[in-house]
Amino acid sequence: VQLVESGGGLVQAGGSLRLSCAASGFTSDDYAIGWFRQAPGKEREGVSCISSTDYQTYYADSVVGRFTISSDNAKNMVYLQLNRVNPEDTAVYYCALGPWGSIVRTAQATGVIREDEYDYWGQGTQVTVSS
């Protein structure tokens, strides 16, 4: 399984950016893709996730209303649209693959996107927001 993120870069506060995650090397049609981020000196945190089966989504409180996750299952692509970014969004953003779409409902129920539920990870893409 391979996950490749792209689309990161430098953006001014208030601006927008779209991250892409290309997934390959798996055959299941029941999975979840999560987006995580890690800022300098901080622990990695879950940002958003989406189910491949019913397109259920979940967003961390810090990004609700600003970020949008979407997917194109035919292309095995997942996107994260970042709008109205602020300097606190500066981080390396990772996408990860989890084995079941139901992982998203767990996140909805608990309010947490758990890293240990995701088996495969990309290398990350840097997002830097200037003030």
Side-chain angles (χ1 to χ4, degrees):
V1 177
Q2 187 177 23
L3 299 167
V4 180
E5 303 94 338
S6 61
L10 177 64
V11 59
Q12 287 189 331
S16 298
L17 209 60
R18 190 176 83 154
L19 306 183
S20 299
C21 174
S24 62
F26 64 98
T27 57
S28 174
D29 59 0
D30 181 4
Y31 57 89
I33 296 288
W35 281 97
F36 296 78
R37 67 184 182 185
Q38 187 165 23
K42 295 186 177 181
E43 293 186 354
R44 188 156 57 186
E45 63 170 343
V47 174
S48 183
C49 54
I50 188 168
S51 166
S52 69
T53 55
D54 57 10
Y55 300 95
Q56 286 287 314
T57 60
Y58 174 79
Y59 298 92
D61 288 346
S62 58
V63 305
V64 166
R66 300 188 301 121
F67 291 8
T68 302
I69 192 170
S70 62
S71 65
D72 184 339
N73 286 357
K75 296 181 179 179
N76 284 346
M77 294 290 296
V78 175
Y79 307 97
L80 187 68
Q81 178 70 36
L82 285 60
N83 295 328
R84 294 186 283 123
V85 296
N86 56 63
E88 289 70 40
D89 295 319
T90 295
V92 178
Y93 283 71
Y94 301 89
C95 66
L97 180 109
W100 304 287
S102 58
I103 287 174
V104 176
R105 292 194 181 272
T106 301
Q108 293 172 340
T110 63
V112 177
I113 304 174
R114 290 177 50 178
E115 285 190 40
D116 62 359
E117 292 183 325
Y118 292 81
D119 299 324
Y120 300 96
W121 293 77
Q123 293 300 306
T125 185
Q126 175 71 48
V127 172
T128 303
V129 181
S130 63
S131 57

